[in-house]
Amino acid sequence: MDILISGAGVAGLSLAHWLRRYGVDVTVVERADALRDGGYKVDVRGAAVEVLRRGGVLERVREVETRVRDVHFVDARGRRVATMSADVFGGREGEDVEVVRGDLLRVLRDAADVEYLFGDWVEDLEDGDSGVRVRFGSGAERVFDVVVGADGVHSRVRGLVFGEEERFRHDLGHHVSIFTSSSAHGLDREELLYAEPGRTTNVYRTAGDDGARALFLFRSPEHAGRPAEQLARAFDNAGWKVPELVAEAARAQDLYFDSVSLIRMDRWSSGRVVLVGDAAYAASPASGQGTSLALVGAYVLAGELVEGLEGAFERYETRMRDFVTANQALAEANLKGMVLSSKAKIWFQTRMLRLLPHLPGRDRVIERITEPIRRAATAIDLPQY
Ligand SMILES: Cc1cc2nc3c(=O)[nH]c(=O)nc-3n(C[C@H](O)[C@H](O)[C@H](O)COP(=O)(O)OP(=O)(O)OC[C@H]3O[C@@H](n4cnc5c(N)ncnc54)[C@H](O)[C@@H]3O)c2cc1C
């Protein structure tokens, strides 16, 4: 089999890695000129940890863990009003790992010895009985047995084969923005979190960072204007060091800005074209499970493909569907806890966080909070291929 993967993100690189292990010829086309390793930190949990282990890369991923220790909640004057262990805050347990997305990408890329076409993309494709004829943006044409869309929430392959994004995208009424700050903000493997009604700002510095990274998450149903302008409007008159961060974001080279959205589709394949990761079933940053879904999806798709092309995509969907549904369901509930709607809720949350270490049933309370994530992260029996 000769397979084209569109997109060198977590899903695309992980799929390339698995297919190479099975001896399949793989080409990865990535629109960016180099690996898009811009980074926020992401969690790998449950079944996805097992996928990394089976792929022989878990130890390498552990070497680049963020090793963030604590999350401090700050008030408008920057005073630390409550502190929580970063693992508890992130709902991680056991072997779960937190890693900067770019570091994970580099580990996967180093493990996947395949042909890369950077700075190019699938311009058009024609699916036929004997293969998929692909015309690239560069003008080149080639025929592949299978084309995989691993090109993210705004997947072009999905657009070409299944139709407009609006049919599948469910916006959760919020936007997220991230950039790398040149200042370390006095942090050493720590995270600061500042909440106001409808808007949350988060600054963290991982083990490998020179500066720090800032993340803005805010309620805003619509895209309106350029990212920097929208940020400035959304965080107008905010407290703490938010105005300074918003001003720096406007000058940042790596400003990331997008709506918080799910992708929901009835089918993830059509003919010889199939989708994986965010392109098929984005769960949004609010779920904290997008990376894990991409890793597990790539593992299952690769495994089913090498069992034989006939019926492979149906088997992939059958095995993945409930896992996807369970993880997408986390997003909306999590979002309510990440962006609080009133001052009273922020006050209450801060009080609870201060009390938590002193509560007699502390571990049980934490277990109850993290239980839905744990259940979703392990809601699949991984086949052995
Ligand atoms: C702020 C934020 C925080 C997050 N936190 C977490 C977290 O804590 N835990 C978690 O599990 N997940 C998290 N995620 C989500 C996670 O990063 C993604 O869900 C996951 O990486 C899935 O990746 P993917 O490979 O499907 O898509 P992407 O990572 O989006 O990769 C798609 C790739 O395709 C390329 N591409 C796009 N269009 C084309 C084209 N036309 N042709 C060729 N290439 C193209 C892109 O350049 C990119 O390299 C977070 C996301 C954000 C934004």
Side-chain angles (χ1 to χ4, degrees):
M1 260 189 287
D2 191 2
I3 295 187
L4 175 71
I5 300 172
S6 168
V10 174
L13 292 177
S14 180
L15 181 67
H17 172 222
W18 280 108
L19 288 171
R20 268 321 289 153
R21 280 170 71 102
Y22 299 138
V24 176
D25 286 334
V26 178
T27 304
V28 176
V29 59
E30 163 61 49
R31 189 181 48 185
D33 290 333
L35 209 58
R36 269 189 71 194
D37 56 2
Y40 35 84
K41 51 192 177 56
V42 296
D43 294 313
V44 180
R45 299 191 181 85
V49 175
E50 179 59 21
V51 165
L52 291 181
R53 179 182 295 105
R54 289 186 193 178
V57 292
L58 180 57
E59 286 318 310
R60 308 228 346 248
V61 172
R62 286 215 181 289
E63 284 165 19
V64 291
E65 263 184 295
T66 64
R67 300 191 1 242
V68 173
R69 300 169 300 174
D70 291 317
V71 181
H72 307 287
F73 295 76
V74 297
D75 66 11
R77 288 201 268 158
R79 291 174 304 194
R80 297 181 176 191
V81 290
T83 292
M84 204 174 184
S85 128
D87 283 339
V88 171
F89 180 72
R92 289 180 295 277
E93 54 161 36
E95 293 190 295
D96 296 351
V97 346
E98 183 182 62
V99 63
V100 171
R101 178 179 172 276
D103 291 336
L104 176 61
L105 286 190
R106 278 187 289 274
V107 170
L108 293 171
R109 193 258 331 260
D110 292 350
D113 178 21
V114 300
E115 178 191 6
Y116 289 99
L117 306 174
F118 283 104
D120 209 349
W121 60 91
V122 175
E123 179 63 31
D124 210 350
L125 52 79
E126 196 184 319
D127 194 357
D129 288 344
S130 54
V132 190
R133 174 169 293 279
V134 173
R135 186 159 57 82
F136 290 98
S138 59
E141 283 197 22
R142 278 169 69 177
V143 177
F144 296 89
D145 294 309
V146 169
V147 171
V148 184
D151 40 6
V153 180
H154 308 294
S155 169
R156 177 167 177 85
V157 170
R158 186 186 61 226
L160 289 171
V161 176
F162 297 89
E164 284 176 18
E165 181 172 311
E166 283 63 35
R167 288 174 51 201
F168 310 113
R169 207 186 70 217
H170 297 260
D171 296 335
L172 301 183
H174 290 68
H175 279 76
V176 60
S177 186
I178 305 150
F179 77 98
T180 306
S181 168
S182 54
S183 161
H185 296 274
L187 299 172
D188 174 19
R189 294 189 288 125
E190 293 157 294
E191 186 162 348
L192 302 176
L193 213 141
Y194 174 63
E196 288 184 3
R199 52 194 193 183
T200 297
T201 307
N202 172 223
V203 179
Y204 61 85
R205 181 164 179 238
T206 70
D209 282 333
D210 293 329
R213 294 162 214 264
L215 180 149
F216 307 96
L217 186 60
F218 57 101
R219 234 171 66 74
S220 139
E222 283 173 9
H223 261 314
R226 294 192 4 252
E229 289 164 7
Q230 206 169 325
L231 262 187
R233 254 198 323 275
F235 286 87
D236 188 30
N237 270 323
W240 189 43
K241 54 171 77 176
V242 178
E244 183 192 313
L245 289 167
V246 168
E248 195 184 351
R251 301 187 300 269
Q253 297 298 313
D254 66 344
L255 183 68
Y256 169 92
F257 187 93
D258 209 348
S259 60
V260 176
S261 308
L262 306 180
I263 295 292
R264 287 202 184 114
M265 305 179 75
D266 295 336
R267 293 204 55 195
W268 302 326
S269 67
S270 166
R272 289 170 174 268
V273 180
V274 62
L275 305 175
V276 66
D278 278 6
Y281 34 77
S284 90
S287 75
Q289 278 292 98
T291 300
S292 293
L293 278 178
L295 289 168
V296 173
Y299 171 77
V300 174
L301 177 58
E304 295 302 336
L305 267 170
V306 292
E307 305 256 299
L309 186 52
E310 182 79 34
F313 300 157
E314 286 74 15
R315 296 193 299 273
Y316 157 63
E317 290 203 22
T318 306
R319 290 200 187 277
M320 285 293 293
R321 184 60 76 175
D322 290 349
F323 184 56
V324 165
T325 306
N327 283 287
Q328 285 192 325
L330 295 171
E332 268 176 284
N334 286 354
L335 204 47
K336 285 196 188 113
M338 293 161 92
V339 183
L340 300 174
S341 56
S342 66
K343 280 190 173 166
K345 284 184 180 160
I346 295 168
W347 181 88
F348 183 72
Q349 187 191 57
T350 309
R351 288 295 164 283
M352 285 307 293
L353 289 168
R354 285 168 88 152
L355 271 177
L356 194 61
H358 312 290
L359 287 181
R362 172 183 179 272
D363 291 347
R364 267 205 316 281
V365 175
I366 292 171
E367 227 178 272
R368 274 242 303 283
I369 299 170
T370 55
E371 165 69 12
I373 302 178
R374 191 173 59 241
R375 226 178 315 122
T378 53
I380 186 168
D381 287 325
L382 285 180
Q384 288 282 358
Y385 293 107

